[in-house]
Amino acid sequence: ALGGLGLGLWRWQRAAMAASEEEDEEEEMLRQRFMAPPVSGLRELRQRRRELRSRMELLIMETQAEVCRALAALDPGAAFAVDTWERKEGGGGISCVLQDGEVFEKAGVNVSVVFGLLSEEAARQMRSRGKSLKAKDGKLPFCAMGVSSVIHPKNPHVPTMHFNYRYFEIEEADGTKQWWFGGGTDLTPTYLNEEDAVHFHKTLKEACDKHDLKLYPKYKKWCDDYFYIKHRGERRGIGGIFFDDVDSPSKEEVFQFVKSCAKAVVPCYIPIVKRHCHDSFTPEEKLWQQLRRGRYVEFNLVYDRGTKFGLLTPGSRIESILMSLPLTARWEYMHTPPESSKEAEILEVLRNPKDWVH
């Protein structure tokens, strides 16, 4: 009997060692897939891998790596600086930024996973959007995570692209949790290319249609309305999709939708970059690109909700929040393009959004 017990113990030890080796291999595979170790740590994520918060963190890490590698493949002379940072109040992030490449003037892909207590200013901003938040002794514990990217190419015939996918969770006074997802992907060309616009929108529509045929038209309109520069009377770009505060039909279903959208980022944009990154351009076209970037800056600093939330959150990393700003931009007094010019053509679309998929 004792011999049998010893044999059983030996088998258990062998099984435990094999399981440990398997876990180490899994960790190494994850480490190679990402740009840097996750904020929450690989072991903790593996232990909580069935929880949605962990799955979302893995998704944003994978999305960051996929996009960075796709961009680096197009600009082999440049490299991403990988900057990991910690937030004193809780959490941290990974900022990956490429600057002054041959193809990309500035490309940033950021991941952040932050938690702590929501500031009163941030809570007020959320309540203004209709959120009913019941604080305990004035405190609201929260967790927010997301991946955010802005890509500014050098060639004016390659459009700027932005995407962001995020998850937010708040614990109220009675212990109940409110959660929601937000995000989107949008394109900002300097010059209109209808083939590019159709490809971009069709790719996003396909991602939405996997879940509900009503989502693309709804989120396309939301995007056109959200990226509106009121003081200019024009959109920031030709849109895409945008959504926020989405908390139905279920956490799992919304997560799967967000995953489909994140996976559509590379196929909706990289073919456009490949098509135009070696196009010739004139000094006048480069000037127009600089002026359009000025409008991009205006929207991000005056209206963008994510920028405002970041600046209102204690311990936020300002460099990462303002990563979306281009390396160069220009403002000219009373600049108006000639009628019937290519510059006037894009302005017409920015003032009157089009349906690109029908």
Side-chain angles (χ1 to χ4, degrees):
L2 288 174
L5 181 63
L7 181 61
L9 180 61
W10 177 79
R11 286 174 174 166
W12 178 85
Q13 288 173 332
R14 286 291 300 268
M17 287 175 62
S20 177
E21 289 173 3
E22 191 174 317
E23 287 180 357
D24 290 342
E25 288 177 8
E26 182 186 358
E27 278 196 22
E28 185 57 33
M29 285 175 61
L30 287 173
R31 192 174 285 111
Q32 291 176 4
R33 273 163 55 190
F34 300 151
M35 300 299 288
V39 175
S40 298
L42 287 169
R43 287 188 183 276
E44 184 180 343
L45 285 177
R46 193 182 65 244
Q47 290 167 358
R48 298 188 288 109
R49 59 177 170 264
R50 289 185 177 83
E51 294 180 22
L52 190 132
R53 275 172 57 170
S54 296
R55 293 164 66 202
M56 183 65 181
E57 186 169 350
L58 287 169
L59 174 62
I60 62 179
M61 292 293 300
E62 289 171 358
T63 303
Q64 180 186 52
E66 286 172 6
V67 174
C68 286
R69 286 169 183 147
L71 296 175
L74 295 177
D75 206 340
F80 276 95
V82 180
D83 183 18
T84 60
W85 52 273
E86 292 184 3
R87 179 175 173 267
K88 182 177 65 175
E89 293 80 0
I94 305 156
S95 298
C96 298
V97 181
L98 180 157
Q99 291 186 147
D100 268 332
E102 290 296 319
V103 175
F104 303 108
E105 184 177 288
K106 186 179 181 186
V109 191
N110 291 348
V111 156
S112 64
V113 180
V114 299
F115 51 86
L117 298 176
L118 202 62
S119 71
E120 190 55 45
E121 293 90 344
R124 193 179 301 120
Q125 183 183 335
M126 289 182 178
R127 288 188 177 105
S128 71
R129 304 201 322 259
K131 293 290 179 188
S132 176
L133 304 175
K134 305 180 186 75
K136 184 178 182 180
D137 300 326
K139 296 178 180 179
L140 279 165
F142 82 98
C143 171
M145 63 181 68
V147 56
S148 180
S149 174
V150 178
I151 301 158
H152 294 291
K154 281 193 169 178
N155 194 310
H157 298 294
V158 181
T160 285
M161 194 267 285
H162 157 260
F163 76 88
N164 172 278
Y165 291 100
R166 56 194 179 274
Y167 172 72
F168 211 97
E169 194 175 274
I170 287 182
E171 185 175 334
E172 297 189 274
D174 60 1
T176 59
K177 290 182 180 179
Q178 283 201 50
W179 59 269
W180 60 88
F181 289 87
T185 305
D186 62 280
L187 198 69
T188 304
T190 301
Y191 288 95
L192 182 63
N193 181 298
E194 295 210 6
E195 183 182 351
D196 295 342
V198 169
H199 166 80
F200 184 80
H201 277 268
K202 276 192 171 180
T203 306
L204 294 179
K205 182 179 184 298
E206 288 169 5
C208 293
D209 286 354
K210 292 176 185 176
H211 302 271
D212 189 331
L213 297 179
K214 297 176 183 176
L215 293 180
Y216 171 76
K218 177 182 178 181
Y219 294 155
K220 192 267 187 191
K221 182 181 186 307
W222 198 338
C223 188
D224 289 334
D225 292 343
Y226 177 75
F227 291 104
Y228 182 60
I229 309 173
K230 296 176 185 176
H231 60 272
R232 297 287 190 181
E234 62 192 42
R235 276 78 191 166
R236 190 178 74 176
I238 62 165
I241 57 172
F242 178 84
F243 55 92
D244 208 355
D245 301 331
V246 177
D247 56 7
S248 64
S250 73
K251 190 181 282 190
E252 181 62 28
E253 287 173 286
V254 184
F255 172 73
Q256 291 299 331
F257 165 67
V258 168
K259 186 175 182 179
S260 294
C261 293
K263 294 297 181 185
V265 169
V266 168
C268 79
Y269 182 61
I270 294 301
I272 297 174
V273 181
K274 287 181 178 178
R275 195 178 299 140
H276 299 293
C277 63
H278 299 300
D279 288 1
S280 61
F281 59 88
T282 66
E284 292 76 20
E285 289 171 333
K286 187 66 179 178
L287 170 63
W288 179 243
Q289 180 194 51
Q290 297 294 293
L291 293 169
R292 296 311 310 166
R293 283 188 181 163
R295 303 291 171 91
Y296 202 96
V297 171
E298 289 176 25
F299 177 85
N300 281 30
L301 294 183
V302 177
Y303 299 113
D304 187 70
R305 190 182 297 164
T307 302
K308 288 181 178 180
F309 177 81
L311 296 175
L312 292 173
T313 302
S316 291
R317 193 165 188 273
I318 303 304
E319 286 294 330
S320 297
I321 295 168
L322 299 182
M323 176 273 301
S324 63
L325 302 183
L327 209 56
T328 61
R330 186 179 176 96
W331 287 264
E332 283 191 9
Y333 184 71
M334 299 292 286
H335 183 279
T336 304
E339 290 185 19
S340 302
S341 64
K342 289 185 177 180
E343 292 77 13
E345 178 186 36
I346 187 70
L347 281 180
E348 174 61 26
V349 173
L350 300 180
R351 290 166 183 160
N352 300 288
K354 288 183 62 174
D355 179 353
W356 298 102
V357 296
H358 296 104

